[in-house]
Amino acid sequence: MTHQNRSDSNLTMSVGLAALLWLAACGGPPAATAAPAVSAAPPAETQPAPAVTAAPPAETQPAPALECGSTPDLTRSMTEGPYFKADSPERASLLEPGLAGTRLTVTGYVLTPDCQPVVRALLEFWQADAAGQYDNTGYTLRGHQFTDAGGRYALETIVPGLYPGRTEHIHVKVQAPNGPSLTTQLFFPGVAQNQSDQIFDPSLVLLVQDNSGDGLAATFNFVVNDK
Ligand code: FE
């Protein structure tokens, strides 16, 4: 060790000693500042993994069995009609105070042609109210949403009314993030006017799961090209 190093070493020791004396004189660091570090949660690596014990996030839950073969049919496209309006609000529920009509929920998946759920698919719904009227000035009964991490969507709305020449239907555009936009319509089972509607298509009829309450719960899976 050189003289210079020894001097540095001595200096370091002196400074260290002075600091210790100062701490002793002051009674050490205030307890209030030391305590939280001790009583706080242990470092992350020593914590029991919460992800294991907590409920798994939605995207990790096994999806219910999908009823489609390895090559399900693409959802049939339908005319857009005259009442589409761009820039609808993002909302899964189209319900608003004072909105009359039979409550309806429609849930399902957006799937690729090989039956894989599509994450963040865009769904844009628009429909007539219970009296068969479209809101062409505002956005009543119009809205868009995106499928979740499991490829699921859920729409809350009302059963649309009839208007001249048309049976009950809900308009929808569906688009996978990198796919083309599919424009189509959803129909309701057991509606007498289905038979006289020129564009009614049985492959686009909602599957009603429950109509025992004061509303209707139905499902529909869309199959769209994702590229
Ligand atoms: Fe329409």
Side-chain angles (χ1 to χ4, degrees), residues 45-182:
E45 62 266 31
T46 63
Q47 285 177 353
V52 174
T53 53
E59 60 268 31
T60 65
Q61 289 174 353
L66 297 173
E67 291 184 8
C68 61
S70 56
T71 53
D73 291 336
L74 286 172
T75 299
R76 190 180 165 195
S77 67
M78 278 266 158
T79 176
E80 179 177 291
Y83 301 124
F84 174 71
K85 221 179 131 180
D87 303 322
S88 70
E90 181 175 352
R91 52 179 180 175
S93 176
L94 307 183
L95 298 178
E96 295 177 28
L99 188 68
T102 302
R103 295 287 183 266
L104 166 70
T105 60
V106 185
T107 57
Y109 289 86
V110 175
L111 303 168
T112 64
D114 56 353
C115 206
Q116 297 303 304
V118 180
V119 178
R120 289 288 294 174
L122 168 67
L123 297 108
E124 208 159 3
F125 294 99
W126 73 104
Q127 66 172 87
D129 65 14
Q133 298 290 320
Y134 285 85
D135 178 6
N136 294 314
T137 53
Y139 287 93
T140 303
L141 291 169
R142 299 172 184 272
H144 73 271
Q145 60 177 284
F146 298 90
T147 52
D148 66 13
R152 287 164 290 211
Y153 73 94
L155 171 70
E156 205 174 11
T157 184
I158 57 157
V159 176
L162 299 163
Y163 61 89
R166 294 304 319 275
T167 187
E168 294 172 0
H169 63 282
I170 294 176
H171 295 269
V172 59
K173 287 176 182 283
V174 187
Q175 185 171 23
N178 298 310
S181 180
L182 167 80

